[in-house]
């Protein structure tokens, strides 16, 4: 799930964080990262809070090359 998609859906990072009950500083930290992806545990919360409109895309959460799931 892309940070920009969440921000667009809710209108702001602050509103997005309020929707799932997390601190607004989380969104600021995510925006500073270069990958542009919402952490997986919060992506699930945004998916649920948006009634499934915000989708979790598996390609956003692939392991880096050379790493395999156990």
């Amino acid at each position: 799930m892309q940070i920009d998609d969440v921000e667009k859906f809710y209108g702001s990072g602050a509103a997005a964080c309020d929707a799932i009950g997390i601190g607004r500083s989380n969104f600021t930290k995510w925006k500073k990262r270069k990958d542009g992806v919402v952490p997986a545990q919060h992506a699930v919360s945004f998916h649920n809070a948006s009634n499934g409109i915000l989708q979790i895309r598996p390609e956003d959460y692939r392991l880096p090359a050379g790493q395999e799931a156990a």
Side-chain angles (χ1 to χ4, degrees):
M1 182 177 294
Q2 296 293 309
I3 294 168
D4 292 340
D5 294 337
V6 173
E7 190 170 34
K8 184 184 284 185
F9 180 82
Y10 285 103
S12 70
C17 290
D18 290 347
I20 64 168
I22 61 171
R24 296 174 179 187
S25 63
N26 288 298
F27 210 85
T28 302
K29 290 177 195 173
W30 302 340
K31 293 283 277 189
K32 289 181 182 178
R33 293 189 339 214
K34 296 189 186 294
D35 65 359
V37 175
V38 173
Q41 68 271 26
H42 297 299
V44 171
S45 296
F46 285 127
H47 174 78
N48 292 338
S50 70
N51 292 318
I53 295 170
L54 291 171
Q55 294 293 307
I56 300 170
R57 301 179 332 173
E59 61 269 19
D60 289 335
Y61 300 98
R62 294 191 188 273
L63 291 173
Q67 291 185 2
E68 296 179 15

